[in-house]
Amino acid sequence: MKTQAVVVADDPVYLSWLENAAGANAEFSLIRPLDAEDLIERVQMMGRVDAAFFQFERANLDARLSMMERLVERMPDIAVAGLGADSNPDVVLAAMRAGARDFFVLRRDEADVAALLSKLLRRSQTVSRTQQKQGRLFSVFASQPNDSIAFVAEHLALACAAQLPKSEPTLLIDIATPPGAAAIFLNISQSYSLLDAVNDVYRCDQTLVDTAFSRHASGLYLLSLPEDLIGRPQFVFDDFLKLLQVVRGLFGCVVVAFDAHWPLDCIAGVLGQAERSLLVSDQSIIKSRHSKYLLRALRLDDCPLDRTALLVDHYRKRLGLEPENLAEILDLPLYGRLSASVGHGRVQAMNAGEPMFSVAPKEPFCADMRALASALLGSQERMEAPKAGLARLFG
């Protein structure tokens, strides 16, 4: 059965080019709709339509984006692609964000158009199946904003990425304060931020991930707040929760970093989705008190905390509250502890924009993070403390 496709273009050269390049396996119809609603009506009258191609130029960009968005919203089963005289990156990215799953450049790679069209249709048919798969979701949070949230989450995500197969990529979502901390620690300059992804949640697919999401040299993907953001970000939190659901269908593991300066229902929404949530605190009285106040508020709001556990950061023996005592005070199970930096490794890593795994690989913190990732990925109730000193040597 032939592929039925419509071509929304001002210049008929795109129609003839696609017909010649695709061969006899596809039939194309050129249409010039007045607006998005006119396009929907025309497509509905045509009966079966497998694919739609939209010609983009700077002069018609906004109008075509509106048409594409409306078609994707009303008829998600139709595979959508962009057309252009060149591969202008701004135009291509705008098309992808509007729902395009590919972008074809006029008179380029003509021999591959048929194969690309076949791939486009297969991708469309597997979108629903892909989104049914659910990757693992872990959240790392604290009662008050601090840079340790993003730092711990970053290293957890890196350790998970190193332990998972390449077919199950890892995504780090940093929505904590200070904004953009994870991007700074990984030395990543974002052109596409978490705010963009939230706005594009209903058009988020593998193509958008491949073309827009930032990626670290390790293979870790990142969505972070813009580092120049002043104040709290403004977006619909329900869309953020929807984004978490979508990316779980696209990644093998998702790590979310956030602080508790959100409404309780928003915090509960993230905790409700996560397989395991780690409340990060150090051994200080002030951190423990604020953590206790947060947990009390969540419990009064009937937020389920059965998958939430305590993670003690910057741990030093006999320096403050011992992890077991802190867990008892907070009425949370203790998941594990992360060793304090022996020297200035943590600060050096932050300032260098490189992970501790590279800057100070022999730091106990690195072994702790790998053990933490192994415990979470293995669905353990608690991480096993790595052996230290002579015990590690003989082990």
Side-chain angles (χ1 to χ4, degrees):
M1 187 166 54
K2 289 186 177 182
T3 299
Q4 301 294 322
V6 297
V7 181
V8 182
D10 301 319
D11 192 339
V13 69
Y14 287 94
L15 174 65
S16 57
W17 175 68
L18 286 171
E19 288 177 334
N20 294 331
N25 294 325
E27 291 185 358
F28 298 89
S29 301
L30 180 67
I31 58 176
R32 296 188 177 96
L34 300 175
D35 52 28
E37 293 305 318
D38 185 35
L39 170 64
I40 298 297
E41 292 179 7
R42 293 189 184 213
V43 172
Q44 289 174 336
M45 291 175 61
M46 294 177 68
R48 181 175 67 89
V49 174
D50 301 305
F53 295 84
F54 290 79
Q55 175 205 354
F56 284 99
E57 296 177 354
R58 288 196 174 276
N60 66 14
L61 185 61
D62 291 339
R64 289 287 156 79
L65 290 175
S66 176
M67 291 182 188
M68 180 180 283
E69 290 173 351
R70 186 63 172 155
L71 182 66
V72 170
E73 179 184 340
R74 290 287 301 275
M75 300 178 178
D77 293 335
I78 296 179
V80 177
L83 296 170
D86 55 40
S87 54
N88 182 293
D90 294 334
V91 174
V92 173
L93 179 58
M96 293 300 184
R97 292 177 61 182
R101 295 181 185 140
D102 214 327
F103 198 93
F104 294 75
V105 178
L106 182 65
R107 298 190 182 92
R108 192 185 74 179
D109 302 326
E110 294 192 17
D112 297 330
V113 167
L116 291 172
L117 178 59
S118 177
K119 178 182 176 182
L120 174 67
L121 294 174
R122 287 198 307 272
R123 184 182 297 162
S124 176
Q125 293 165 0
T126 58
V127 165
S128 59
R129 291 198 297 271
T130 300
Q131 292 185 348
Q132 288 174 1
K133 295 192 305 180
Q134 288 290 296
R136 299 159 187 173
L137 176 64
F138 306 122
S139 70
V140 176
F141 70 107
S143 59
Q144 296 292 327
N146 65 82
D147 54 15
S148 292
I149 305 172
F151 192 79
V152 170
E154 164 208 345
H155 285 82
L156 173 59
L158 288 168
C160 288
Q163 296 180 28
L164 288 172
K166 291 184 179 180
S167 59
E168 299 181 31
T170 299
L171 170 67
L172 170 60
I173 297 179
D174 176 23
I175 197 171
T177 305
I184 296 172
F185 296 157
L186 290 169
N187 196 25
I188 291 177
S189 179
Q190 291 187 116
S191 59
Y192 187 87
S193 74
L194 174 64
L195 301 183
D196 297 317
V198 172
N199 291 333
D200 294 339
V201 61
Y202 294 100
R203 298 184 290 276
C204 185
D205 60 7
Q206 189 62 51
T207 301
L208 186 65
V209 170
D210 294 339
T211 57
F213 283 30
S214 298
R215 191 176 185 186
H216 187 251
S218 63
L220 175 69
Y221 287 84
L222 172 70
L223 284 176
S224 181
L225 292 174
E227 65 175 271
D228 59 354
L229 178 69
I230 304 299
R232 280 290 172 183
Q234 301 298 316
F235 59 82
V236 179
F237 207 85
D238 286 344
D239 287 346
F240 174 73
L241 296 179
K242 175 64 177 176
L243 178 66
L244 294 184
Q245 296 173 356
V246 172
V247 295
R248 288 186 71 180
L250 300 170
F251 291 89
C253 178
V254 179
V255 178
V256 183
F258 69 98
D259 58 68
H261 279 195
W262 294 101
L264 290 178
D265 58 334
C266 299
I267 299 173
V270 178
L271 299 183
Q273 285 199 39
E275 292 184 18
R276 175 68 70 180
S277 295
L278 301 175
L279 174 61
V280 180
S281 177
D282 59 23
Q283 297 165 273
S284 67
I285 292 295
I286 190 166
K287 292 281 181 61
S288 64
R289 286 190 176 184
H290 279 289
S291 296
K292 187 175 182 178
Y293 300 148
L294 168 64
L295 292 172
R296 181 175 65 186
L298 289 171
R299 291 181 174 118
L300 290 174
D301 205 49
D302 295 325
C303 173
L305 297 173
D306 54 305
R307 296 190 300 276
T308 302
L310 173 66
L311 180 67
V312 177
D313 190 22
H314 290 289
Y315 172 70
R316 293 183 185 273
K317 291 183 180 180
R318 296 181 294 276
L319 186 65
L321 288 169
E322 285 299 306
E324 291 76 11
N325 296 336
L326 181 56
E328 184 177 353
I329 291 172
L330 299 179
D331 194 19
L332 277 184
L334 174 65
Y335 202 81
R337 56 169 178 73
L338 303 175
S339 302
S341 182
V342 176
H344 303 288
R346 183 176 291 213
V347 175
Q348 289 173 347
M350 288 180 175
N351 291 341
E354 294 185 23
M356 284 273 282
F357 298 129
S358 302
V359 173
K362 294 183 180 180
E363 283 264 11
F365 175 85
C366 297
D368 293 340
M369 289 306 311
R370 294 189 180 97
L372 177 60
S374 297
L376 290 171
L377 294 174
S379 301
Q380 299 176 16
E381 290 301 314
R382 180 171 177 171
M383 67 175 275
E384 297 180 5
K387 297 177 180 179
L390 291 176
R392 180 184 301 172
L393 176 63
F394 289 111

